[in-house]
Amino acid sequence: MRIVPAWVPMPRAVVIATGLCELAGAAALVTRRWRRAAGWALAAYALCVWPANVHHAIIDLSRGTGLPIWYHAPRLALQPAIIWWALWASGAVRLSRRAPR
Protein backbone atom coordinates (compact mmCIF):
# COMPACT_ATOMS: atom_id res chain seq x y z
CA MET A 1 0.00 0.00 0.00
CA ARG A 2 2.92 2.34 0.50
CA ILE A 3 3.50 2.63 -3.26
CA VAL A 4 -0.07 3.77 -3.96
CA PRO A 5 -0.01 7.50 -4.83
CA ALA A 6 -1.60 9.81 -2.25
CA TRP A 7 -4.29 10.93 -4.71
CA VAL A 8 -5.76 7.40 -4.85
CA PRO A 9 -8.60 7.10 -2.30
CA MET A 10 -8.82 4.08 0.02
CA PRO A 11 -5.46 2.53 -0.88
CA ARG A 12 -6.08 -0.75 0.98
CA ALA A 13 -9.36 -1.33 -0.86
CA VAL A 14 -7.71 -0.40 -4.17
CA VAL A 15 -4.84 -2.86 -3.60
CA ILE A 16 -7.30 -5.65 -2.75
CA ALA A 17 -9.51 -4.80 -5.75
CA THR A 18 -6.59 -4.70 -8.17
CA GLY A 19 -5.31 -8.03 -6.86
CA LEU A 20 -8.72 -9.58 -7.43
CA CYS A 21 -8.79 -8.06 -10.93
CA GLU A 22 -5.42 -9.66 -11.69
CA LEU A 23 -6.66 -13.05 -10.56
CA ALA A 24 -9.91 -12.72 -12.52
CA GLY A 25 -7.96 -11.66 -15.60
CA ALA A 26 -5.62 -14.63 -15.29
CA ALA A 27 -8.56 -17.01 -14.91
CA ALA A 28 -10.33 -15.45 -17.90
CA LEU A 29 -7.25 -15.89 -20.10
CA VAL A 30 -7.64 -19.66 -20.01
CA THR A 31 -11.16 -19.55 -21.46
CA ARG A 32 -11.93 -19.01 -25.13
CA ARG A 33 -15.01 -16.97 -24.34
CA TRP A 34 -13.31 -14.41 -22.11
CA ARG A 35 -9.72 -14.40 -23.43
CA ARG A 36 -9.95 -11.26 -25.59
CA ALA A 37 -11.84 -9.32 -22.91
CA ALA A 38 -9.22 -10.41 -20.38
CA GLY A 39 -6.47 -9.11 -22.67
CA TRP A 40 -8.11 -5.69 -22.85
CA ALA A 41 -8.79 -5.68 -19.11
CA LEU A 42 -5.24 -6.70 -18.19
CA ALA A 43 -3.79 -4.11 -20.57
CA ALA A 44 -5.97 -1.46 -18.92
CA TYR A 45 -4.90 -2.76 -15.53
CA ALA A 46 -1.21 -2.46 -16.44
CA LEU A 47 -1.82 1.09 -17.63
CA CYS A 48 -3.70 2.00 -14.45
CA VAL A 49 -1.02 0.69 -12.10
CA TRP A 50 1.76 2.50 -13.95
CA PRO A 51 1.39 5.61 -11.73
CA ALA A 52 1.93 3.44 -8.66
CA ASN A 53 5.09 2.01 -10.24
CA VAL A 54 6.35 5.54 -10.97
CA HIS A 55 5.48 6.61 -7.42
CA HIS A 56 7.31 3.57 -6.05
CA ALA A 57 10.42 4.46 -8.06
CA ILE A 58 10.30 8.07 -6.87
CA ILE A 59 9.99 6.99 -3.23
CA ASP A 60 12.83 4.47 -3.44
CA LEU A 61 15.23 6.58 -5.48
CA SER A 62 14.66 9.87 -3.68
CA ARG A 63 15.20 8.39 -0.22
CA GLY A 64 17.89 5.92 -1.16
CA THR A 65 16.32 3.37 1.17
CA GLY A 66 14.46 1.14 -1.26
CA LEU A 67 15.10 -0.78 -4.42
CA PRO A 68 17.79 0.57 -6.77
CA ILE A 69 17.47 2.06 -10.26
CA TRP A 70 18.34 -1.26 -11.93
CA TYR A 71 15.03 -2.60 -10.55
CA HIS A 72 12.86 0.40 -11.37
CA ALA A 73 14.22 1.42 -14.78
CA PRO A 74 13.41 -1.85 -16.60
CA ARG A 75 10.09 -2.12 -14.81
CA LEU A 76 8.99 1.33 -15.96
CA ALA A 77 10.50 1.02 -19.43
CA LEU A 78 8.84 -2.35 -20.08
CA GLN A 79 5.35 -1.31 -18.97
CA PRO A 80 4.27 -0.47 -22.56
CA ALA A 81 5.57 -3.88 -23.67
CA ILE A 82 3.54 -5.56 -20.92
CA ILE A 83 0.44 -3.70 -22.11
CA TRP A 84 1.07 -4.73 -25.71
CA TRP A 85 1.83 -8.32 -24.66
CA ALA A 86 -1.50 -8.62 -22.83
CA LEU A 87 -3.30 -7.45 -25.98
CA TRP A 88 -1.30 -9.61 -28.38
CA ALA A 89 -1.17 -12.81 -26.31
CA SER A 90 -4.91 -12.74 -25.68
CA GLY A 91 -5.75 -12.18 -29.33
CA ALA A 92 -7.32 -8.81 -28.51
CA VAL A 93 -5.17 -7.29 -31.26
CA ARG A 94 -3.56 -8.98 -34.21
CA LEU A 95 -0.56 -8.07 -36.26
CA SER A 96 -1.64 -7.74 -39.86
CA ARG A 97 0.38 -9.53 -42.45
CA ARG A 98 0.18 -7.96 -45.84
CA ALA A 99 1.17 -9.83 -48.91
CA PRO A 100 4.17 -8.29 -50.70
CA ARG A 101 3.27 -6.38 -53.84
Side-chain angles (χ1 to χ4, degrees), residues 8-44:
V8 175
M10 302 183 303
R12 181 169 168 32
V14 169
V15 169
I16 290 169
T18 57
L20 292 172
C21 287
E22 273 187 290
L23 293 172
L29 282 175
V30 299
T31 69
R32 282 188 187 262
R33 180 176 184 179
W34 296 105
R35 186 172 297 137
R36 293 177 110 201
W40 284 107
L42 290 169

Side-chain angles (χ1 to χ4, degrees), residues 8-86:
V8 175
M10 302 183 303
R12 181 169 168 32
V14 169
V15 169
I16 290 169
T18 57
L20 292 172
C21 287
E22 273 187 290
L23 293 172
L29 282 175
V30 299
T31 69
R32 282 188 187 262
R33 180 176 184 179
W34 296 105
R35 186 172 297 137
R36 293 177 110 201
W40 284 107
L42 290 169
Y45 169 83
L47 181 63
C48 290
V49 299
W50 206 348
N53 294 344
V54 170
H55 185 67
H56 185 199
I58 290 169
I59 290 170
D60 282 357
L61 299 174
S62 67
R63 295 180 186 161
T65 57
L67 296 166
I69 188 71
W70 60 263
Y71 170 81
H72 290 289
R75 181 180 187 199
L76 295 173
L78 291 175
Q79 198 84 16
I82 291 167
I83 292 167
W84 177 252
W85 187 25

